[in-house]
Amino acid sequence: MADLWWVYSKPVPADSRELWTLFLQCSCITAVIGGLFYNWMFASLEYSWHLSIATSISFSLLLLLTLFLVHPARCVFSMIMPTLGTKQGRKLLLSTCIMIAVVNITPNITGNIKTILQVIKCICKNSSDSLLNSTALLQTASREFGDAIQETIHSSIIYKPMNGRFHFSLLQNTSSIYQQMDLAGEKISRAFLSVEVLVKDSVRVGNRLVAGFSVFYLCFESTWYLKNYLSNLRFDNFYITKELERLAADRKAAHLLVGSSKNFIRPTGLKLSREELMLCLVQAMLPTVALVLMLVLVAMDHFAFSVADTALRKAAQFSVVPVTLHIKYKVSAGILPFVFGELPLQDFEKKYHHHLIFSSAQCRISPPVPPSPSVLLVVGLLFCILYSTVFLETYASRLCRKIAASFFQSWEEERVLYLYRKLSRRHKKE
C-alpha cells in the first residue's frame, strides 16, 4: 500500500511500470466513483436513468483524464474523501436522508390516510343504503296495517271512510346520493394527491440544489486548502510531525518540542482539546434538529398505519344491527252505546324485522401499508454516520494536511523548517 501511494502521489512517474500502475489506480478509482455517482443520481436524486448513465460516464472519463494527467488534481481529489467527514459531507448525508424519508415515508402516510377515508366511505355508503332500504319496511307495515283497518271498517254498516291506508313514499333513486359521496371522496383523494406531489417535487428540487452546491463546495474547499497550503507557510502549520521531531533531534533541540506540546498538536494523537469538543457539540445541533423532525415523520407513519389497521379491523368486525318494528293496535268504538252498544274493532299486532349493514366485503379498500423497516434502518445508519462525522471532522482536517504533505514533500520540508525557526525564536524570547 505504501508503494502504491508513493506512485499515486508522485508528480511524474519514474518509468513505464509506475505509469501503468498509476493508470490502473486512476481507472479503478473512476470506475468506483462513476458507479456511486450513477446510483446517487438515479436512486437518491431521482434523475432519469439515461441522464444518470450519460452523466456518470462523462464524469468518469473526465475524472480519469484529470487524475492521470494533473498531479495537483489528484491531491485535491484525495482531500475530498476526508472532507466528506466535515460539515459539507454532513450536508450531503442530510439531504440524502431527507430525500429517502420523503420518497418512502410520505407516500406511505398518505396511502394509509386514503385507507382510512375508504373505510369511512364504505361505512357511510352501506349504512345509508341500509337506512334507505328500511323505508320499504315501513311501507309494508303501513300497507298491512291499513288493510286491517279497512277490513274492520268495511264490516261496519254505519260509517265507511274513503281510504283507511297510510301512504309512505319510498326513495327508489339513490344514485344521486352515491354520486355525491363518490364526488366528495374523489375531491379528498385529489387534494391528498396534489399535496403529496407538491411535497415530493419541492423536496426533490431542493435536494438537487443542495447536493449540487455541496459537491461544488467540496471541490472548492479542497482546492482552497491546497492553495493556502502551497502559498502560506503559516496556514495549518501547528503540528508536531515526525519530520519536525527528526529535525529537532538532528540539531539537538528536542527540548523545544517538550515545552510547546500544549500549543501544538501531534497528528497521530486521538485526544481532542476542550475547544475542539465544544465545537463538535455546537456542530451536532443541526443533525439533532433534523433527527427530531425525522422522528416526528416516522411517528406519523406508525400512527397512520395503526389507525388505518384498527379502522379496517373494526369495520370488518361490525355486526349487523337488527331493527324490529312492532305494531300493536287495539281500539273499540262506541256509537250510541245505549242503542247499539260498543262495536269492537279487530286487533292488529305484528313485528317487522330489518337489518342495518355498516360494512360490506364488496367495498374496495386498499390494505394499510406498514412502515418499511429497511427505510428506517438506512435512515438510522445515515444519522449514525452524521453524528460520527461531527467528531471525525478534526481528524479529517489533520488527514487533509498529511495528504497535502505526501504530495508535496519538498514544500512540507520548508513548512517544517519554518515552524522550527518559529519555535526557536519563541524559546529565545522566553
Side-chain angles (χ1 to χ4, degrees):
M1 294 297 295
D3 293 338
L4 291 177
W5 180 259
W6 169 250
V7 174
Y8 181 76
S9 60
K10 287 180 65 174
V12 179
D15 50 23
S16 59
R17 177 179 173 276
E18 291 186 355
L19 182 65
W20 282 108
T21 302
L22 177 62
F23 181 77
L24 290 176
Q25 286 179 320
C26 296
S27 300
C28 293
I29 292 173
T30 52
V32 173
I33 296 299
L36 294 176
F37 189 74
Y38 165 77
N39 184 71
W40 181 52
M41 289 189 62
F42 181 70
S44 181
L45 300 182
E46 291 191 328
Y47 285 100
S48 60
W49 66 270
H50 54 275
L51 178 62
S52 301
I53 291 177
T55 306
S56 60
I57 291 176
S58 303
F59 174 75
S60 299
L61 293 176
L62 180 62
L63 182 63
L64 176 61
L65 292 175
T66 304
L67 293 180
F68 182 67
L69 298 177
V70 184
H71 175 251
R74 290 201 296 273
C75 182
V76 171
F77 177 79
S78 301
M79 286 191 295
I80 288 177
M81 298 299 107
T83 307
L84 287 172
T86 61
K87 57 183 178 181
Q88 298 304 320
R90 287 196 296 275
K91 290 180 180 179
L92 285 175
L93 290 175
L94 191 59
S95 64
T96 303
C97 288
I98 294 174
M99 196 65 192
I100 291 175
V102 170
V103 171
N104 295 277
I105 298 179
T106 304
N108 203 32
I109 296 175
T110 56
N112 289 328
I113 294 177
K114 289 179 183 178
T115 299
I116 298 173
L117 295 177
Q118 289 173 357
V119 172
I120 297 175
K121 178 181 177 181
C122 176
I123 293 175
C124 293
K125 181 178 180 181
N126 285 278
S127 60
S128 61
D129 193 9
S130 183
L131 287 173
L132 291 174
N133 289 336
S134 65
T135 58
L137 178 68
L138 296 176
Q139 188 182 44
T140 302
S142 66
R143 184 177 63 252
E144 294 181 358
F145 182 49
D147 290 341
I149 294 177
Q150 284 287 90
E151 184 179 351
T152 302
I153 296 300
H154 285 168
S155 62
S156 174
I157 58 175
I158 298 179
Y159 177 74
K160 293 183 179 181
M162 296 179 61
N163 192 355
R165 293 194 179 97
F166 299 96
H167 294 280
F168 284 88
S169 60
L170 176 63
L171 182 59
Q172 299 289 345
N173 186 16
T174 60
S175 60
S176 60
I177 297 178
Y178 296 153
Q179 184 178 3
Q180 292 296 326
M181 293 177 63
D182 292 337
L183 184 60
E186 188 66 25
K187 287 182 178 179
I188 295 175
S189 300
R190 284 200 300 266
F192 271 99
L193 183 61
S194 61
V195 171
E196 179 182 349
V197 171
L198 178 62
V199 171
K200 291 177 69 174
D201 290 342
S202 301
V203 173
R204 184 184 298 111
V205 173
N207 275 276
R208 288 175 179 177
L209 293 176
V210 171
F213 176 77
S214 299
V215 171
F216 171 78
Y217 196 80
L218 280 175
C219 300
F220 171 78
E221 190 172 3
S222 300
T223 306
W224 175 85
Y225 183 92
L226 182 60
K227 181 259 180 186
N228 285 276
Y229 178 86
L230 296 176
S231 60
N232 189 358
L233 292 172
R234 295 187 299 273
F235 175 74
D236 198 22
N237 195 8
F238 47 83
Y239 297 95
I240 302 176
T241 60
K242 293 182 179 180
E243 290 79 7
L244 181 60
E245 291 177 345
R246 189 180 303 112
L247 180 61
D250 293 340
R251 300 190 179 186
K252 298 180 180 180
H255 59 280
L256 297 177
L257 306 182
V258 176
S260 305
S261 58
K262 297 180 180 180
N263 300 323
F264 291 85
I265 298 174
R266 294 184 181 272
T268 56
L270 299 179
K271 185 178 179 180
L272 296 177
S273 63
R274 181 180 179 183
E275 292 77 10
E276 291 173 336
L277 285 176
M278 293 300 297
L279 182 60
C280 291
L281 294 177
V282 172
Q283 292 175 347
M285 294 180 62
L286 178 60
T288 302
V289 173
L291 179 60
V292 171
L293 296 177
M294 200 68 63
L295 290 177
V296 171
L297 187 63
V298 171
M300 290 176 59
D301 189 14
H302 282 80
F303 178 75
F305 169 72
S306 177
V307 173
D309 184 62
T310 304
L312 191 60
R313 287 189 289 105
K314 294 297 183 181
Q317 295 173 0
F318 277 166
S319 60
V320 178
V321 179
V323 178
T324 303
L325 178 63
H326 184 199
I327 300 178
K328 185 177 181 180
Y329 179 77
K330 183 178 181 180
V331 68
S332 60
I335 303 176
L336 300 177
F338 56 90
V339 180
F340 300 102
E342 280 194 354
L343 296 176
L345 299 179
Q346 182 178 357
D347 297 339
F348 181 85
E349 183 176 1
K350 199 169 185 180
K351 293 182 179 181
Y352 299 90
H353 300 282
H354 184 68
H355 296 88
L356 295 178
I357 302 175
F358 290 95
S359 63
S360 174
Q362 298 178 354
C363 294
R364 294 179 297 177
I365 301 177
S366 57
V369 182
S372 176
S374 60
V375 174
L376 300 181
L377 179 62
V378 171
V379 173
L381 289 176
L382 288 178
F383 267 98
C384 290
I385 298 174
L386 271 173
Y387 277 103
S388 64
T389 57
V390 172
F391 298 95
L392 292 176
E393 183 170 358
T394 302
Y395 304 107
S397 301
R398 299 177 187 179
L399 186 57
C400 286
R401 189 204 183 266
K402 294 191 69 174
I403 291 174
S406 64
F407 273 84
F408 301 93
Q409 295 182 3
S410 60
W411 183 250
E412 177 64 17
E413 294 175 358
E414 292 290 333
R415 290 168 60 86
V416 170
L417 184 59
Y418 168 81
L419 185 58
Y420 174 79
R421 292 172 180 171
K422 180 179 178 180
L423 292 175
S424 300
R425 289 194 299 268
R426 179 182 298 178
H427 181 71
K428 290 179 181 179
K429 292 181 180 179
E430 295 175 354

